[in-house]
Amino acid sequence: MESRLDFVSKDIENENEDEFEKSFKQMISTLPKRKSWGNREDYFQYQGFWLHPAFLKGVVSAQQRFHAQPTDTILCSIPKTGTTWLKSLVFSILTRTSFDDSTTPLLSKLPHEVVPFMELYHANFPTYRDMGIPVLATHVPYSSLPTSIIDSGCRIVYICRNPKDSFVSLYHFNDTILKSQNVQPPDLDEAFELFCEGVSVYGPYWDHVLGYWKASLEHPNKILFLRYEEMREDTVLYVKKLAEFIGYPLSSEEQQREVPEKIVKMCSFENLSNLEVNKSEKVRGGVIQNKIYFRKGKVGDWKNCLTSEMAERLDQITHQKLSGSGLSL
Ligand code: A3P
C-alpha cells in the first residue's frame, strides 16, 4: 500500500519533471537547428555538436541527474564506429565467470540490450545498473559528459574508426532506417556534403574523436582510446588490454583455458550477425531493427562506395582537423 510519504515524493517527482520539461523546452528553442539527414526532424546544435531530438533530452537529463559510480565503465563512441562490438566484448569480459558460451545473454539479446545507452534510459534511473553489471555506453561528446563521469574516477573506453568507413556505415544505416519508414533518405552526395560540414548525428565527427583523444592523453589511466581497425587485427590482444584496463584482468589460468579467444569468437561479426536475435527484424524500443546493427563489419569497405574525389576530400579534412594532435585516422 502506498503511504502518504510515497504520495508526497511522487508529487515532488512530478513537479521536478514538469520543471525539467519546461526548462528543456525553453532551452531547445534557443538552439541552432539544421534539417537532419532525410529532412525528417531537425538536428539541434547543443554544446557544439549536432544532436537528434530523440537523444538531446536524455543528454540534458543525464547531465543533470546521472550518477556515475567509481566502479563503472563507460563505453563511448560516435555512432557507427564499433559500439555494438565493443559492448559485446566488454560485457563478455565482465560476465565471464557468470556465463559461458552456451549461457551468455548475448545469445538471445542484442548487445545494445545488455549494455544500454546512458542517455536513453539511465538519465532517469541514474544509479541503476542492468543486471548489476557496472557498464553503460554513451555517444555523448567528452566535453558534454555528465560531470559525475569525470569526477567519480570511473573508467572510460572510447572506440573510433576511420572516418571514410564510419561515414559509409552511417550512410547505409540511415538509408535503411529511413526507407523502412517510407521516408526518402538523402542521396550519397547530399549525405557526404553534410558529413563533411560536420552535420551528422553527434558530429562534427572529428571534434568528437579529438575530444576523447586529448582527454585520453591527459588521463591515460582513466581513458582507454581504441581504434576499430587495430582491434580487428588482433582482437585477442585488445580483449586482454580491455580486461586489464577495466579492472578485470585475465589470469594466466584463464589465458591457458583460452578464455580471451573464446570471447573474441563469441563477439565476432560472423558469430553475432548469424544469431537469430541479431538477424531479427525486431525493433528495440523505437525504430531500429536489430539486424541493421550488423552490415559488413569490414575494414576499408569505403572503397565500394566512395569515389576517389570523395575519399580525397575526407582525407584532407581529417588531415587538417587532426593536424598537431598526434592522432591519425
Ligand atoms: P559496417 O556498416 O561498416 O558494416 P556501431 O555499432 O557503432 O553502430 O557500428 C556499426 C558498425 O560496426 C557496422 O559497420 C557493423 O557492421 C559493425 N559491427 C557490428 N558488429 C560487429 C562485430 N561484432 N565485429 C566487428 N564489426 C561489427
Side-chain angles (χ1 to χ4, degrees):
M1 200 206 256
E2 278 183 306
S3 73
R4 170 79 195 121
L5 274 180
D6 289 333
F7 283 121
V8 172
S9 75
K10 274 200 183 124
D11 282 349
I12 294 171
E13 237 172 61
N14 290 341
E15 217 172 274
N16 289 345
E17 211 43 55
D18 289 348
E19 265 312 299
F20 176 78
E21 284 288 336
K22 223 163 84 189
S23 69
F24 179 73
K25 272 194 191 135
Q26 205 280 324
M27 188 278 293
I28 205 174
S29 69
T30 65
L31 296 180
K33 286 192 279 189
R34 283 285 297 260
K35 285 282 165 219
S36 68
W37 293 21
N39 284 351
R40 207 172 28 145
E41 280 165 297
D42 290 322
Y43 286 145
F44 291 88
Q45 194 180 39
Y46 180 65
Q47 299 181 340
F49 292 84
W50 291 104
L51 266 66
H52 193 280
F55 295 112
L56 179 54
K57 200 175 195 179
V59 172
V60 176
S61 174
Q63 286 179 330
Q64 295 178 12
R65 302 166 178 176
F66 181 69
H67 293 300
Q69 318 289 311
T71 47
D72 283 338
T73 294
I74 314 287
L75 310 181
C76 306
S77 60
I78 187 163
K80 314 324 294 170
T81 56
T83 320
T84 315
W85 185 31
L86 182 64
K87 283 183 176 192
S88 65
L89 288 170
V90 172
F91 178 80
S92 301
I93 293 168
L94 284 169
T95 59
R96 66 185 187 267
T97 53
S98 315
F99 304 115
D100 63 23
D101 296 359
S102 60
T103 56
T104 173
L106 285 171
L107 294 171
S108 56
K109 287 177 194 277
L110 184 72
H112 294 289
E113 285 179 89
V114 297
V115 181
F117 282 107
M118 174 191 73
E119 58 268 40
L120 290 187
Y121 183 66
H122 288 76
N124 292 330
F125 300 93
T127 52
Y128 176 77
R129 299 292 176 268
D130 291 62
M131 299 188 268
I133 298 167
V135 60
L136 289 172
T138 184
H139 289 316
V140 173
Y142 185 77
S143 50
S144 294
L145 286 175
T147 47
S148 74
I149 293 186
I150 313 291
D151 298 341
S152 67
C154 73
R155 293 174 184 86
I156 292 176
V157 178
Y158 186 75
I159 186 164
C160 74
R161 189 181 188 188
N162 174 283
K164 299 193 285 289
D165 277 339
S166 302
F167 164 71
V168 168
S169 184
L170 182 62
Y171 168 72
H172 286 296
F173 185 74
N174 192 60
D175 195 71
T176 312
I177 294 176
L178 291 182
K179 280 181 181 153
S180 76
Q181 296 168 353
N182 298 319
V183 176
Q184 179 65 36
D187 63 24
L188 182 69
D189 288 337
E190 197 186 330
F192 183 76
E193 210 44 56
L194 287 167
F195 187 83
C196 290
E197 276 180 53
V199 185
S200 58
V201 64
Y202 285 101
Y205 176 87
W206 300 270
D207 298 5
H208 199 287
V209 178
L210 272 176
Y212 280 94
W213 169 249
K214 288 181 184 160
S216 75
L217 296 179
E218 277 171 37
H219 312 284
N221 298 331
K222 212 182 121 187
I223 305 174
L224 180 64
F225 189 93
L226 301 172
R227 291 176 173 79
Y228 180 90
E229 294 75 16
E230 287 175 356
M231 286 177 63
R232 290 301 311 247
E233 260 182 33
D234 191 348
T235 315
V236 170
L237 175 75
Y238 280 92
V239 163
K240 291 181 197 165
K241 274 194 189 182
L242 271 167
E244 183 85 36
F245 181 78
I246 63 180
Y248 288 73
L250 286 140
S251 66
S252 41
E253 186 270 326
E254 285 181 302
Q255 299 199 34
Q256 264 165 17
R257 285 195 288 114
E258 302 198 328
V259 173
E261 285 78 2
K262 286 179 189 154
I263 291 176
V264 171
K265 197 166 166 210
M266 168 55 66
C267 301
S268 68
F269 181 85
E270 292 66 31
N271 187 54
L272 288 186
S273 63
N274 279 308
L275 294 174
E276 271 320 306
V277 60
N278 297 330
K279 286 200 278 191
S280 141
E281 296 192 355
K282 200 174 109 185
V283 170
R284 181 189 57 97
V287 293
I288 305 175
Q289 295 177 344
N290 287 3
K291 64 177 189 178
I292 303 180
Y293 289 98
F294 304 87
R295 194 180 64 93
K296 288 189 177 176
K298 293 236 171 342
V299 172
D301 184 52
W302 61 266
K303 292 183 189 121
N304 297 315
C305 188
L306 303 184
T307 63
S308 49
E309 288 77 26
M310 284 169 148
E312 244 167 62
R313 178 149 170 228
L314 268 187
D315 283 344
Q316 257 173 23
I317 298 173
T318 303
H319 182 74
Q320 189 194 346
K321 290 263 194 182
L322 303 189
S323 122
S325 69
L327 175 66
S328 57
L329 288 172

